[in-house]
Amino acid sequence: MTDTTPAEPAARPIPTERRCPFDPPEEVGRLRAEQPISRLAYPDGAQGWLVTEYATARRLLADSRFSSRLELQHSPIRTPEPEPTPPGMFIFMDPPEHTRYRKLLTGQFTLRRMRQLEPRIAEFAEGLLDEMERHGAPADLVRHFALPLPSLVICELLGIPSEQREFFQHYTAEMVRPDLSPEQSAEIDRVVFGFLGELVARKRAAPTDDILSGLLVEDELSDDEAMGMVTILLVAGHETTANMLGLGTFALLEHPEQLAALRADPGLIDGAVEELLRYLSIVQYEINRTALEDVELDGQLIRAGEPVTVSLPGANRDPARFDRPDELDVTASQARQHLAFGHGVHQCLGQQLARAEMRIGYAALVRRFPGLRLEVAREDVPMRTDRGIYGVHQLPISW
Ligand code: HEM
């Protein structure tokens, strides 16, 4: 008897080639139209699945049969050595372990703290733009504004004293430099994590009014657990917000009618932030899960142990969910329930803070630099195509 089962489509590496700096790779759109859960080949040799459709992505991210544990994870762009989840790094844990740490940190992101932070964010933004103005055009918006703003906000969250902020800012900017060798990268990590270790020890000995001190006072966290949580704040809160500020500005400059609308009516800023989050979906390759048991997801059998990667850029451009998915429209934002901050138990814990940084950051930039323009051709802006977090390495601007 001949076997009539159709051959399973071959697993392919994750699509990374983008034609337009703001759109997902075309291949992602094609896959979504043809097979919303498609075979994916990981660089470590594993075979799993890529989800490109909005509804499927939401269902998967809310399903506790898929794990976030680091030791089970495969990355579509890297071949890391399998390693156990470090203490406190709850982004790589499943409930109930995850729940304890997440609750602890949520308890520190109080309304009072967020209210206190907003005027500080505005001060930081104005101060950085003053410096950029003094430096004069042309300037790199990433170096002068997009990278240091979230770094200063993290200094504030962690209660890093002002005399150490320059050091912290310098090294957090070094961490995301595009040209580092693995040795240089390891050395920078050693300096930053050494600094954070000392900070934990100091806050334990003499707590102040900040999130880190609050965490140490509230619960019996070991130093390693506290370090894990601080590391997540830095890793999850810096590169992401910096790239939204950089790439978001690039997108506005390339959509002059949208920039003009925002300039004419600053009240559009909240919707503009949501629309930019949806349109750009910078977390491009980092949403990885592993099936803990056999799961049938939208008609596709995913076997226990198989990795799944969710394409947030794919989901947030799904025409089945958004009427004009490929249009950036800050005047009538269609971004409600976008997935740029993820979904389910791991949904971004810093999203209100990130929104405040973007709202305040874009608004200050647009207000202060009416002649803002790109200093190079659009094709010459160096893009972070191969990084887990998409964005721009540099954004040369004039005004
Ligand atoms: C988790 C996006 C800014 C803290 C996440 C996740 C996404 C995300 C997609 C989910 C990861 C997953 O499901 O595996 C973003 C974007 C940001 C941003 C696009 C900026 C525009 C921030 C900021 C902070 C932060 C400013 C805090 C300082 C966190 C934490 C988690 C997280 C702690 C882990 C939550 C958990 O595992 O329960 N973020 N994030 N993020 N984010 Fe953000």
Side-chain angles (χ1 to χ4, degrees), residues 90-91 98 102 232 236-237 240 244 289 340-342 345-346 348 350:
F90 62 95
I91 198 167
H98 163 265
R102 178 156 173 130
I232 297 187
T240 46
M244 267 312 293
R289 302 288 190 264
F341 287 123
V345 294
H346 290 281
C348 181

Side-chain angles (χ1 to χ4, degrees), residues 284-392:
Q284 56 176 351
Y285 310 129
E286 297 291 323
I287 306 295
N288 301 309
R289 302 288 190 264
T290 304
L292 293 171
E293 55 187 86
D294 287 1
V295 178
E296 200 179 309
L297 184 69
D298 293 350
Q300 180 62 59
L301 176 66
I302 297 175
R303 294 195 184 281
E306 283 186 328
V308 189
T309 293
V310 177
S311 168
L312 297 184
N316 276 338
R317 295 292 191 99
D318 184 348
R321 172 63 186 75
F322 302 100
D323 290 340
R324 293 165 292 127
D326 296 323
E327 259 178 64
L328 172 70
D329 187 350
V330 302
T331 63
S333 169
Q334 44 173 339
R336 218 169 56 81
Q337 293 196 324
H338 65 73
L339 296 180
F341 287 123
H343 181 64
V345 294
H346 290 281
Q347 196 186 52
C348 181
L349 194 148
Q351 57 186 285
Q352 296 312 344
L353 179 59
R355 286 187 170 103
E357 291 183 56
M358 286 181 278
R359 204 172 59 232
I360 296 168
Y362 293 136
L365 193 62
V366 167
R367 175 174 44 76
R368 289 188 47 169
F369 296 91
L372 196 67
R373 61 184 184 279
L374 207 56
E375 176 64 18
V376 296
R378 158 195 176 124
E379 320 62 80
D380 293 335
V381 175
M383 307 304 299
R384 294 168 53 99
T385 313
D386 58 348
R387 306 296 163 110
I389 309 296
Y390 185 59
V392 290

Side-chain angles (χ1 to χ4, degrees), residues 7-188:
E8 203 169 71
R12 302 233 200 100
I14 194 147
T16 55
E17 206 164 303
R18 295 182 183 237
R19 255 210 209 150
C20 162
F22 312 117
D23 292 341
E26 281 186 340
E27 180 72 5
V28 167
R30 199 187 55 74
L31 285 172
R32 188 181 51 230
E34 284 173 10
Q35 28 166 185
I37 308 182
S38 53
R39 267 317 216 174
L40 182 61
Y42 290 77
D44 62 4
Q47 297 215 349
W49 303 93
L50 176 67
V51 171
T52 46
E53 199 183 54
Y54 178 90
T56 315
R58 252 179 100 91
R59 262 194 288 282
L60 185 144
L61 291 173
D63 190 328
S64 59
R65 294 172 296 176
F66 292 96
S67 171
S68 284
R69 274 161 50 204
L70 191 59
E71 56 271 33
L72 302 179
Q73 262 192 32
H74 299 263
S75 162
I77 53 162
R78 289 182 294 270
T79 47
E81 291 293 313
E83 54 172 320
T85 301
M89 284 247 200
F90 62 95
I91 198 167
F92 298 124
M93 292 176 188
D94 297 333
E97 209 188 359
H98 163 265
T99 322
R100 171 185 163 226
Y101 294 107
R102 178 156 173 130
K103 254 197 188 152
L104 256 177
L105 197 54
T106 315
Q108 292 301 318
F109 275 81
T110 57
L111 203 58
R112 178 183 71 89
R113 274 229 173 83
M114 291 304 117
R115 286 219 179 103
Q116 281 173 347
L117 267 173
E118 292 206 5
R120 294 290 287 151
I121 298 172
E123 256 174 62
F124 294 146
E126 299 295 340
L128 290 168
L129 294 177
D130 287 345
E131 269 176 45
M132 190 170 86
E133 220 170 359
R134 274 198 296 275
H135 171 280
D140 173 15
L141 187 84
V142 172
R143 186 160 82 84
H144 286 275
F145 188 64
L147 275 178
L149 183 60
S151 175
L152 283 168
V153 172
I154 290 170
C155 285
E156 197 76 4
L157 287 183
L158 300 181
I160 295 176
S162 46
E163 65 276 10
Q164 290 181 333
R165 291 191 174 185
E166 213 167 294
F167 171 90
F168 185 74
Q169 253 179 283
H170 171 76
Y171 276 98
T172 47
E174 288 286 288
M175 279 175 106
V176 295
R177 252 177 54 185
D179 53 345
L180 292 179
S181 65
E183 295 74 31
Q184 285 171 314
S185 202
E187 175 57 18
I188 290 165

